[in-house]
PDB file of all heavy atoms in Angstrom:
ATOM      1  N   ALA A   1     -71.004  81.233  -9.751  1.00 81.00           N
ATOM      2  CA  ALA A   1     -70.822  79.920 -10.369  1.00 81.00           C
ATOM      3  C   ALA A   1     -71.158  79.995 -11.856  1.00 81.00           C
ATOM      4  O   ALA A   1     -70.488  79.366 -12.685  1.00 81.00           O
ATOM      5  CB  ALA A   1     -71.706  78.895  -9.669  1.00 81.00           C
ATOM      6  N   ARG A   2     -72.152  80.777 -12.204  1.00 79.00           N
ATOM      7  CA  ARG A   2     -72.515  80.952 -13.621  1.00 79.00           C
ATOM      8  C   ARG A   2     -71.367  81.604 -14.392  1.00 79.00           C
ATOM      9  O   ARG A   2     -71.064  81.211 -15.511  1.00 79.00           O
ATOM     10  CB  ARG A   2     -73.778  81.820 -13.723  1.00 79.00           C
ATOM     11  CG  ARG A   2     -74.136  82.215 -15.117  1.00 79.00           C
ATOM     12  CD  ARG A   2     -75.093  81.243 -15.771  1.00 79.00           C
ATOM     13  NE  ARG A   2     -75.470  81.762 -17.056  1.00 79.00           N
ATOM     14  CZ  ARG A   2     -75.001  81.277 -18.202  1.00 79.00           C
ATOM     15  NH1 ARG A   2     -74.164  80.271 -18.204  1.00 79.00           N
ATOM     16  NH2 ARG A   2     -75.375  81.776 -19.361  1.00 79.00           N
ATOM     17  N   GLY A   3     -70.715  82.588 -13.790  1.00 79.00           N
ATOM     18  CA  GLY A   3     -69.564  83.241 -14.418  1.00 79.00           C
ATOM     19  C   GLY A   3     -68.430  82.257 -14.662  1.00 79.00           C
ATOM     20  O   GLY A   3     -67.769  82.316 -15.716  1.00 79.00           O
ATOM     21  N   VAL A   4     -68.207  81.341 -13.742  1.00 84.00           N
ATOM     22  CA  VAL A   4     -67.164  80.325 -13.909  1.00 84.00           C
ATOM     23  C   VAL A   4     -67.518  79.405 -15.083  1.00 84.00           C
ATOM     24  O   VAL A   4     -66.666  79.065 -15.897  1.00 84.00           O
ATOM     25  CB  VAL A   4     -66.959  79.517 -12.613  1.00 84.00           C
ATOM     26  CG1 VAL A   4     -66.063  78.314 -12.847  1.00 84.00           C
ATOM     27  CG2 VAL A   4     -66.397  80.414 -11.531  1.00 84.00           C
ATOM     28  N   ASP A   5     -68.791  79.022 -15.164  1.00 87.00           N
ATOM     29  CA  ASP A   5     -69.248  78.187 -16.299  1.00 87.00           C
ATOM     30  C   ASP A   5     -68.999  78.888 -17.635  1.00 87.00           C
ATOM     31  O   ASP A   5     -68.576  78.264 -18.595  1.00 87.00           O
ATOM     32  CB  ASP A   5     -70.722  77.851 -16.178  1.00 87.00           C
ATOM     33  CG  ASP A   5     -71.009  76.857 -15.061  1.00 87.00           C
ATOM     34  OD1 ASP A   5     -70.060  76.185 -14.600  1.00 87.00           O
ATOM     35  OD2 ASP A   5     -72.191  76.767 -14.648  1.00 87.00           O
ATOM     36  N   VAL A   6     -69.260  80.193 -17.671  1.00 87.00           N
ATOM     37  CA  VAL A   6     -69.052  80.964 -18.896  1.00 87.00           C
ATOM     38  C   VAL A   6     -67.563  80.975 -19.259  1.00 87.00           C
ATOM     39  O   VAL A   6     -67.181  80.751 -20.404  1.00 87.00           O
ATOM     40  CB  VAL A   6     -69.582  82.410 -18.733  1.00 87.00           C
ATOM     41  CG1 VAL A   6     -69.103  83.310 -19.862  1.00 87.00           C
ATOM     42  CG2 VAL A   6     -71.101  82.389 -18.675  1.00 87.00           C
ATOM     43  N   LEU A   7     -66.719  81.242 -18.276  1.00 88.00           N
ATOM     44  CA  LEU A   7     -65.267  81.266 -18.533  1.00 88.00           C
ATOM     45  C   LEU A   7     -64.764  79.921 -19.019  1.00 88.00           C
ATOM     46  O   LEU A   7     -63.941  79.852 -19.940  1.00 88.00           O
ATOM     47  CB  LEU A   7     -64.513  81.707 -17.279  1.00 88.00           C
ATOM     48  CG  LEU A   7     -64.689  83.170 -16.902  1.00 88.00           C
ATOM     49  CD1 LEU A   7     -64.035  83.460 -15.559  1.00 88.00           C
ATOM     50  CD2 LEU A   7     -64.132  84.084 -17.985  1.00 88.00           C
ATOM     51  N   LEU A   8     -65.266  78.833 -18.453  1.00 92.00           N
ATOM     52  CA  LEU A   8     -64.865  77.501 -18.926  1.00 92.00           C
ATOM     53  C   LEU A   8     -65.341  77.252 -20.346  1.00 92.00           C
ATOM     54  O   LEU A   8     -64.612  76.656 -21.156  1.00 92.00           O
ATOM     55  CB  LEU A   8     -65.404  76.423 -17.969  1.00 92.00           C
ATOM     56  CG  LEU A   8     -64.751  76.398 -16.590  1.00 92.00           C
ATOM     57  CD1 LEU A   8     -65.490  75.393 -15.674  1.00 92.00           C
ATOM     58  CD2 LEU A   8     -63.282  76.043 -16.674  1.00 92.00           C
ATOM     59  N   SER A   9     -66.536  77.716 -20.666  1.00 93.00           N
ATOM     60  CA  SER A   9     -67.056  77.586 -22.026  1.00 93.00           C
ATOM     61  C   SER A   9     -66.183  78.360 -23.004  1.00 93.00           C
ATOM     62  O   SER A   9     -65.820  77.863 -24.077  1.00 93.00           O
ATOM     63  CB  SER A   9     -68.497  78.094 -22.072  1.00 93.00           C
ATOM     64  OG  SER A   9     -68.973  78.213 -23.379  1.00 93.00           O
ATOM     65  N   GLU A  10     -65.842  79.599 -22.647  1.00 94.00           N
ATOM     66  CA  GLU A  10     -64.982  80.411 -23.513  1.00 94.00           C
ATOM     67  C   GLU A  10     -63.586  79.809 -23.652  1.00 94.00           C
ATOM     68  O   GLU A  10     -63.016  79.833 -24.732  1.00 94.00           O
ATOM     69  CB  GLU A  10     -64.869  81.826 -22.960  1.00 94.00           C
ATOM     70  CG  GLU A  10     -66.157  82.602 -23.075  1.00 94.00           C
ATOM     71  CD  GLU A  10     -66.065  83.980 -22.492  1.00 94.00           C
ATOM     72  OE1 GLU A  10     -64.955  84.439 -22.140  1.00 94.00           O
ATOM     73  OE2 GLU A  10     -67.117  84.637 -22.401  1.00 94.00           O
ATOM     74  N   PHE A  11     -63.085  79.269 -22.561  1.00 95.00           N
ATOM     75  CA  PHE A  11     -61.757  78.629 -22.614  1.00 95.00           C
ATOM     76  C   PHE A  11     -61.792  77.480 -23.609  1.00 95.00           C
ATOM     77  O   PHE A  11     -60.910  77.349 -24.458  1.00 95.00           O
ATOM     78  CB  PHE A  11     -61.375  78.145 -21.214  1.00 95.00           C
ATOM     79  CG  PHE A  11     -59.986  77.572 -21.145  1.00 95.00           C
ATOM     80  CD1 PHE A  11     -58.884  78.393 -21.159  1.00 95.00           C
ATOM     81  CD2 PHE A  11     -59.787  76.207 -21.063  1.00 95.00           C
ATOM     82  CE1 PHE A  11     -57.599  77.898 -21.102  1.00 95.00           C
ATOM     83  CE2 PHE A  11     -58.516  75.675 -21.001  1.00 95.00           C
ATOM     84  CZ  PHE A  11     -57.410  76.522 -21.021  1.00 95.00           C
ATOM     85  N   ARG A  12     -62.819  76.667 -23.543  1.00 95.00           N
ATOM     86  CA  ARG A  12     -62.931  75.484 -24.415  1.00 95.00           C
ATOM     87  C   ARG A  12     -63.140  75.856 -25.875  1.00 95.00           C
ATOM     88  O   ARG A  12     -62.481  75.315 -26.772  1.00 95.00           O
ATOM     89  CB  ARG A  12     -64.088  74.620 -23.933  1.00 95.00           C
ATOM     90  CG  ARG A  12     -64.362  73.446 -24.820  1.00 95.00           C
ATOM     91  CD  ARG A  12     -65.549  72.665 -24.324  1.00 95.00           C
ATOM     92  NE  ARG A  12     -65.776  71.498 -25.157  1.00 95.00           N
ATOM     93  CZ  ARG A  12     -66.865  70.782 -25.097  1.00 95.00           C
ATOM     94  NH1 ARG A  12     -67.809  71.061 -24.238  1.00 95.00           N
ATOM     95  NH2 ARG A  12     -67.009  69.753 -25.885  1.00 95.00           N
ATOM     96  N   TRP A  13     -64.068  76.797 -26.140  1.00 96.00           N
ATOM     97  CA  TRP A  13     -64.467  77.075 -27.501  1.00 96.00           C
ATOM     98  C   TRP A  13     -63.734  78.211 -28.180  1.00 96.00           C
ATOM     99  O   TRP A  13     -63.774  78.326 -29.410  1.00 96.00           O
ATOM    100  CB  TRP A  13     -65.984  77.348 -27.563  1.00 96.00           C
ATOM    101  CG  TRP A  13     -66.775  76.151 -27.184  1.00 96.00           C
ATOM    102  CD1 TRP A  13     -67.493  75.965 -26.043  1.00 96.00           C
ATOM    103  CD2 TRP A  13     -66.931  74.945 -27.934  1.00 96.00           C
ATOM    104  NE1 TRP A  13     -68.075  74.727 -26.043  1.00 96.00           N
ATOM    105  CE2 TRP A  13     -67.753  74.085 -27.189  1.00 96.00           C
ATOM    106  CE3 TRP A  13     -66.432  74.523 -29.169  1.00 96.00           C
ATOM    107  CZ2 TRP A  13     -68.105  72.822 -27.652  1.00 96.00           C
ATOM    108  CZ3 TRP A  13     -66.786  73.247 -29.621  1.00 96.00           C
ATOM    109  CH2 TRP A  13     -67.606  72.412 -28.859  1.00 96.00           C
ATOM    110  N   VAL A  14     -63.057  79.065 -27.402  1.00 96.00           N
ATOM    111  CA  VAL A  14     -62.348  80.206 -28.001  1.00 96.00           C
ATOM    112  C   VAL A  14     -60.858  80.198 -27.654  1.00 96.00           C
ATOM    113  O   VAL A  14     -60.022  80.169 -28.546  1.00 96.00           O
ATOM    114  CB  VAL A  14     -62.982  81.553 -27.574  1.00 96.00           C
ATOM    115  CG1 VAL A  14     -62.292  82.713 -28.279  1.00 96.00           C
ATOM    116  CG2 VAL A  14     -64.481  81.574 -27.881  1.00 96.00           C
ATOM    117  N   TRP A  15     -60.539  80.241 -26.370  1.00 96.00           N
ATOM    118  CA  TRP A  15     -59.148  80.391 -25.952  1.00 96.00           C
ATOM    119  C   TRP A  15     -58.247  79.261 -26.452  1.00 96.00           C
ATOM    120  O   TRP A  15     -57.200  79.535 -27.033  1.00 96.00           O
ATOM    121  CB  TRP A  15     -59.042  80.501 -24.436  1.00 96.00           C
ATOM    122  CG  TRP A  15     -59.483  81.825 -23.932  1.00 96.00           C
ATOM    123  CD1 TRP A  15     -60.780  82.280 -23.816  1.00 96.00           C
ATOM    124  CD2 TRP A  15     -58.661  82.901 -23.497  1.00 96.00           C
ATOM    125  NE1 TRP A  15     -60.798  83.562 -23.325  1.00 96.00           N
ATOM    126  CE2 TRP A  15     -59.508  83.968 -23.108  1.00 96.00           C
ATOM    127  CE3 TRP A  15     -57.279  83.059 -23.380  1.00 96.00           C
ATOM    128  CZ2 TRP A  15     -59.009  85.170 -22.645  1.00 96.00           C
ATOM    129  CZ3 TRP A  15     -56.797  84.257 -22.897  1.00 96.00           C
ATOM    130  CH2 TRP A  15     -57.657  85.297 -22.541  1.00 96.00           C
ATOM    131  N   VAL A  16     -58.631  78.024 -26.235  1.00 97.00           N
ATOM    132  CA  VAL A  16     -57.772  76.899 -26.646  1.00 97.00           C
ATOM    133  C   VAL A  16     -57.555  76.896 -28.162  1.00 97.00           C
ATOM    134  O   VAL A  16     -56.404  76.882 -28.618  1.00 97.00           O
ATOM    135  CB  VAL A  16     -58.314  75.551 -26.125  1.00 97.00           C
ATOM    136  CG1 VAL A  16     -57.574  74.384 -26.755  1.00 97.00           C
ATOM    137  CG2 VAL A  16     -58.210  75.502 -24.603  1.00 97.00           C
ATOM    138  N   PRO A  17     -58.614  76.946 -28.981  1.00 97.00           N
ATOM    139  CA  PRO A  17     -58.366  76.932 -30.423  1.00 97.00           C
ATOM    140  C   PRO A  17     -57.627  78.162 -30.937  1.00 97.00           C
ATOM    141  O   PRO A  17     -56.736  78.046 -31.768  1.00 97.00           O
ATOM    142  CB  PRO A  17     -59.753  76.833 -31.057  1.00 97.00           C
ATOM    143  CG  PRO A  17     -60.736  76.771 -29.977  1.00 97.00           C
ATOM    144  CD  PRO A  17     -60.046  76.856 -28.667  1.00 97.00           C
ATOM    145  N   VAL A  18     -57.957  79.353 -30.429  1.00 97.00           N
ATOM    146  CA  VAL A  18     -57.327  80.578 -30.919  1.00 97.00           C
ATOM    147  C   VAL A  18     -55.857  80.615 -30.517  1.00 97.00           C
ATOM    148  O   VAL A  18     -54.975  80.936 -31.331  1.00 97.00           O
ATOM    149  CB  VAL A  18     -58.095  81.823 -30.401  1.00 97.00           C
ATOM    150  CG1 VAL A  18     -57.276  83.093 -30.589  1.00 97.00           C
ATOM    151  CG2 VAL A  18     -59.435  81.942 -31.108  1.00 97.00           C
ATOM    152  N   LEU A  19     -55.562  80.288 -29.268  1.00 96.00           N
ATOM    153  CA  LEU A  19     -54.156  80.286 -28.834  1.00 96.00           C
ATOM    154  C   LEU A  19     -53.361  79.188 -29.523  1.00 96.00           C
ATOM    155  O   LEU A  19     -52.188  79.402 -29.871  1.00 96.00           O
ATOM    156  CB  LEU A  19     -54.053  80.177 -27.316  1.00 96.00           C
ATOM    157  CG  LEU A  19     -54.517  81.417 -26.562  1.00 96.00           C
ATOM    158  CD1 LEU A  19     -54.490  81.180 -25.055  1.00 96.00           C
ATOM    159  CD2 LEU A  19     -53.698  82.633 -26.933  1.00 96.00           C
ATOM    160  N   ALA A  20     -53.945  78.028 -29.738  1.00 97.00           N
ATOM    161  CA  ALA A  20     -53.255  76.956 -30.469  1.00 97.00           C
ATOM    162  C   ALA A  20     -52.925  77.406 -31.888  1.00 97.00           C
ATOM    163  O   ALA A  20     -51.804  77.206 -32.365  1.00 97.00           O
ATOM    164  CB  ALA A  20     -54.110  75.682 -30.479  1.00 97.00           C
ATOM    165  N   LEU A  21     -53.886  78.018 -32.562  1.00 97.00           N
ATOM    166  CA  LEU A  21     -53.650  78.503 -33.919  1.00 97.00           C
ATOM    167  C   LEU A  21     -52.589  79.615 -33.936  1.00 97.00           C
ATOM    168  O   LEU A  21     -51.709  79.605 -34.799  1.00 97.00           O
ATOM    169  CB  LEU A  21     -54.960  79.009 -34.545  1.00 97.00           C
ATOM    170  CG  LEU A  21     -54.861  79.530 -35.958  1.00 97.00           C
ATOM    171  CD1 LEU A  21     -54.389  78.428 -36.923  1.00 97.00           C
ATOM    172  CD2 LEU A  21     -56.214  80.068 -36.420  1.00 97.00           C
ATOM    173  N   ALA A  22     -52.651  80.525 -32.977  1.00 96.00           N
ATOM    174  CA  ALA A  22     -51.676  81.615 -32.912  1.00 96.00           C
ATOM    175  C   ALA A  22     -50.271  81.063 -32.659  1.00 96.00           C
ATOM    176  O   ALA A  22     -49.310  81.482 -33.323  1.00 96.00           O
ATOM    177  CB  ALA A  22     -52.053  82.608 -31.810  1.00 96.00           C
ATOM    178  N   CYS A  23     -50.149  80.150 -31.722  1.00 95.00           N
ATOM    179  CA  CYS A  23     -48.833  79.569 -31.415  1.00 95.00           C
ATOM    180  C   CYS A  23     -48.293  78.770 -32.591  1.00 95.00           C
ATOM    181  O   CYS A  23     -47.113  78.866 -32.928  1.00 95.00           O
ATOM    182  CB  CYS A  23     -48.908  78.715 -30.155  1.00 95.00           C
ATOM    183  SG  CYS A  23     -49.154  79.700 -28.665  1.00 95.00           S
ATOM    184  N   PHE A  24     -49.158  77.985 -33.236  1.00 96.00           N
ATOM    185  CA  PHE A  24     -48.721  77.218 -34.403  1.00 96.00           C
ATOM    186  C   PHE A  24     -48.275  78.139 -35.525  1.00 96.00           C
ATOM    187  O   PHE A  24     -47.245  77.912 -36.153  1.00 96.00           O
ATOM    188  CB  PHE A  24     -49.845  76.277 -34.881  1.00 96.00           C
ATOM    189  CG  PHE A  24     -49.493  75.553 -36.138  1.00 96.00           C
ATOM    190  CD1 PHE A  24     -48.596  74.499 -36.106  1.00 96.00           C
ATOM    191  CD2 PHE A  24     -50.039  75.940 -37.361  1.00 96.00           C
ATOM    192  CE1 PHE A  24     -48.249  73.827 -37.277  1.00 96.00           C
ATOM    193  CE2 PHE A  24     -49.700  75.282 -38.523  1.00 96.00           C
ATOM    194  CZ  PHE A  24     -48.800  74.218 -38.492  1.00 96.00           C
ATOM    195  N   THR A  25     -49.034  79.194 -35.772  1.00 96.00           N
ATOM    196  CA  THR A  25     -48.675  80.145 -36.826  1.00 96.00           C
ATOM    197  C   THR A  25     -47.357  80.847 -36.512  1.00 96.00           C
ATOM    198  O   THR A  25     -46.510  81.020 -37.391  1.00 96.00           O
ATOM    199  CB  THR A  25     -49.804  81.174 -37.031  1.00 96.00           C
ATOM    200  OG1 THR A  25     -51.025  80.468 -37.302  1.00 96.00           O
ATOM    201  CG2 THR A  25     -49.518  82.117 -38.181  1.00 96.00           C
ATOM    202  N   ALA A  26     -47.178  81.255 -35.253  1.00 94.00           N
ATOM    203  CA  ALA A  26     -45.922  81.897 -34.856  1.00 94.00           C
ATOM    204  C   ALA A  26     -44.755  80.932 -35.018  1.00 94.00           C
ATOM    205  O   ALA A  26     -43.687  81.306 -35.513  1.00 94.00           O
ATOM    206  CB  ALA A  26     -46.018  82.386 -33.414  1.00 94.00           C
ATOM    207  N   TRP A  27     -44.956  79.681 -34.618  1.00 94.00           N
ATOM    208  CA  TRP A  27     -43.900  78.664 -34.766  1.00 94.00           C
ATOM    209  C   TRP A  27     -43.580  78.451 -36.250  1.00 94.00           C
ATOM    210  O   TRP A  27     -42.412  78.391 -36.628  1.00 94.00           O
ATOM    211  CB  TRP A  27     -44.356  77.349 -34.120  1.00 94.00           C
ATOM    212  CG  TRP A  27     -43.421  76.230 -34.393  1.00 94.00           C
ATOM    213  CD1 TRP A  27     -42.254  75.944 -33.757  1.00 94.00           C
ATOM    214  CD2 TRP A  27     -43.567  75.238 -35.420  1.00 94.00           C
ATOM    215  NE1 TRP A  27     -41.663  74.837 -34.312  1.00 94.00           N
ATOM    216  CE2 TRP A  27     -42.450  74.376 -35.343  1.00 94.00           C
ATOM    217  CE3 TRP A  27     -44.530  74.993 -36.403  1.00 94.00           C
ATOM    218  CZ2 TRP A  27     -42.272  73.312 -36.203  1.00 94.00           C
ATOM    219  CZ3 TRP A  27     -44.357  73.920 -37.240  1.00 94.00           C
ATOM    220  CH2 TRP A  27     -43.242  73.097 -37.141  1.00 94.00           C
ATOM    221  N   LEU A  28     -44.598  78.344 -37.070  1.00 95.00           N
ATOM    222  CA  LEU A  28     -44.417  78.135 -38.496  1.00 95.00           C
ATOM    223  C   LEU A  28     -43.683  79.322 -39.124  1.00 95.00           C
ATOM    224  O   LEU A  28     -42.745  79.147 -39.921  1.00 95.00           O
ATOM    225  CB  LEU A  28     -45.775  77.928 -39.167  1.00 95.00           C
ATOM    226  CG  LEU A  28     -45.798  77.446 -40.598  1.00 95.00           C
ATOM    227  CD1 LEU A  28     -45.153  76.078 -40.693  1.00 95.00           C
ATOM    228  CD2 LEU A  28     -47.244  77.374 -41.081  1.00 95.00           C
ATOM    229  N   ARG A  29     -44.059  80.543 -38.745  1.00 91.00           N
ATOM    230  CA  ARG A  29     -43.414  81.752 -39.260  1.00 91.00           C
ATOM    231  C   ARG A  29     -41.935  81.755 -38.888  1.00 91.00           C
ATOM    232  O   ARG A  29     -41.080  82.018 -39.723  1.00 91.00           O
ATOM    233  CB  ARG A  29     -44.132  82.983 -38.693  1.00 91.00           C
ATOM    234  CG  ARG A  29     -43.578  84.302 -39.165  1.00 91.00           C
ATOM    235  CD  ARG A  29     -44.394  85.483 -38.662  1.00 91.00           C
ATOM    236  NE  ARG A  29     -44.826  85.408 -37.289  1.00 91.00           N
ATOM    237  CZ  ARG A  29     -44.053  85.752 -36.234  1.00 91.00           C
ATOM    238  NH1 ARG A  29     -42.841  86.166 -36.412  1.00 91.00           N
ATOM    239  NH2 ARG A  29     -44.533  85.679 -35.017  1.00 91.00           N
ATOM    240  N   ARG A  30     -41.624  81.432 -37.657  1.00 89.00           N
ATOM    241  CA  ARG A  30     -40.225  81.394 -37.213  1.00 89.00           C
ATOM    242  C   ARG A  30     -39.452  80.281 -37.895  1.00 89.00           C
ATOM    243  O   ARG A  30     -38.288  80.449 -38.289  1.00 89.00           O
ATOM    244  CB  ARG A  30     -40.151  81.228 -35.698  1.00 89.00           C
ATOM    245  CG  ARG A  30     -40.519  82.493 -34.966  1.00 89.00           C
ATOM    246  CD  ARG A  30     -40.301  82.379 -33.460  1.00 89.00           C
ATOM    247  NE  ARG A  30     -40.907  83.501 -32.802  1.00 89.00           N
ATOM    248  CZ  ARG A  30     -42.020  83.445 -32.091  1.00 89.00           C
ATOM    249  NH1 ARG A  30     -42.634  82.295 -31.922  1.00 89.00           N
ATOM    250  NH2 ARG A  30     -42.518  84.518 -31.526  1.00 89.00           N
ATOM    251  N   SER A  31     -40.084  79.132 -38.069  1.00 91.00           N
ATOM    252  CA  SER A  31     -39.427  78.001 -38.728  1.00 91.00           C
ATOM    253  C   SER A  31     -39.080  78.331 -40.180  1.00 91.00           C
ATOM    254  O   SER A  31     -38.005  77.983 -40.671  1.00 91.00           O
ATOM    255  CB  SER A  31     -40.318  76.760 -38.692  1.00 91.00           C
ATOM    256  OG  SER A  31     -40.531  76.335 -37.391  1.00 91.00           O
ATOM    257  N   MET A  32     -39.997  78.996 -40.849  1.00 88.00           N
ATOM    258  CA  MET A  32     -39.754  79.375 -42.250  1.00 88.00           C
ATOM    259  C   MET A  32     -38.629  80.402 -42.335  1.00 88.00           C
ATOM    260  O   MET A  32     -37.828  80.352 -43.259  1.00 88.00           O
ATOM    261  CB  MET A  32     -41.038  79.903 -42.877  1.00 88.00           C
ATOM    262  CG  MET A  32     -42.081  78.806 -43.070  1.00 88.00           C
ATOM    263  SD  MET A  32     -43.691  79.412 -43.610  1.00 88.00           S
ATOM    264  CE  MET A  32     -43.281  80.091 -45.194  1.00 88.00           C
ATOM    265  N   ARG A  33     -38.579  81.330 -41.360  1.00 81.00           N
ATOM    266  CA  ARG A  33     -37.523  82.334 -41.365  1.00 81.00           C
ATOM    267  C   ARG A  33     -36.175  81.684 -41.094  1.00 81.00           C
ATOM    268  O   ARG A  33     -35.183  82.002 -41.753  1.00 81.00           O
ATOM    269  CB  ARG A  33     -37.822  83.413 -40.312  1.00 81.00           C
ATOM    270  CG  ARG A  33     -36.866  84.560 -40.363  1.00 81.00           C
ATOM    271  CD  ARG A  33     -37.260  85.690 -39.444  1.00 81.00           C
ATOM    272  NE  ARG A  33     -37.525  85.192 -38.112  1.00 81.00           N
ATOM    273  CZ  ARG A  33     -38.444  85.666 -37.282  1.00 81.00           C
ATOM    274  NH1 ARG A  33     -39.218  86.647 -37.665  1.00 81.00           N
ATOM    275  NH2 ARG A  33     -38.629  85.155 -36.100  1.00 81.00           N
ATOM    276  N   VAL A  34     -36.090  80.745 -40.145  1.00 75.00           N
ATOM    277  CA  VAL A  34     -34.843  80.037 -39.837  1.00 75.00           C
ATOM    278  C   VAL A  34     -34.433  79.179 -41.012  1.00 75.00           C
ATOM    279  O   VAL A  34     -33.246  79.125 -41.372  1.00 75.00           O
ATOM    280  CB  VAL A  34     -35.006  79.203 -38.551  1.00 75.00           C
ATOM    281  CG1 VAL A  34     -33.826  78.270 -38.358  1.00 75.00           C
ATOM    282  CG2 VAL A  34     -35.181  80.111 -37.346  1.00 75.00           C
ATOM    283  N   GLY A  35     -35.375  78.513 -41.658  1.00 69.00           N
ATOM    284  CA  GLY A  35     -35.081  77.661 -42.800  1.00 69.00           C
ATOM    285  C   GLY A  35     -34.579  78.441 -44.007  1.00 69.00           C
ATOM    286  O   GLY A  35     -33.857  77.927 -44.849  1.00 69.00           O
ATOM    287  N   ALA A  36     -34.977  79.715 -44.099  1.00 69.00           N
ATOM    288  CA  ALA A  36     -34.590  80.554 -45.225  1.00 69.00           C
ATOM    289  C   ALA A  36     -33.148  81.066 -45.091  1.00 69.00           C
ATOM    290  O   ALA A  36     -32.568  81.519 -46.046  1.00 69.00           O
ATOM    291  CB  ALA A  36     -35.543  81.714 -45.388  1.00 69.00           C
ATOM    292  N   THR A  37     -32.617  81.014 -43.864  1.00 62.00           N
ATOM    293  CA  THR A  37     -31.241  81.520 -43.662  1.00 62.00           C
ATOM    294  C   THR A  37     -30.197  80.440 -43.756  1.00 62.00           C
ATOM    295  O   THR A  37     -30.379  79.310 -43.867  1.00 62.00           O
ATOM    296  CB  THR A  37     -31.082  82.199 -42.288  1.00 62.00           C
ATOM    297  OG1 THR A  37     -31.464  81.296 -41.271  1.00 62.00           O
ATOM    298  CG2 THR A  37     -31.908  83.460 -42.247  1.00 62.00           C
TER     299      THR A  37
END
């Protein structure tokens, strides 16, 4: 149960923000490339 609590903590404080930033950056990079053509 302690391990599950740790994973939920990491999901909240690391996974969600890091993946959101990565996806937003990838989307922005692709949008800029499409807009440039």
Side-chain angles (χ1 to χ4, degrees):
R2 172 92 175 105
V4 170
D5 288 343
V6 168
L7 290 173
L8 291 173
S9 170
E10 290 178 9
F11 185 75
R12 176 182 182 192
W13 295 109
V14 183
W15 285 75
V16 170
V18 166
L19 290 176
L21 181 61
C23 290
F24 175 75
T25 304
W27 172 82
L28 192 62
R29 181 175 43 82
R30 286 186 191 107
S31 296
M32 291 172 64
R33 187 173 51 215
V34 169
T37 56

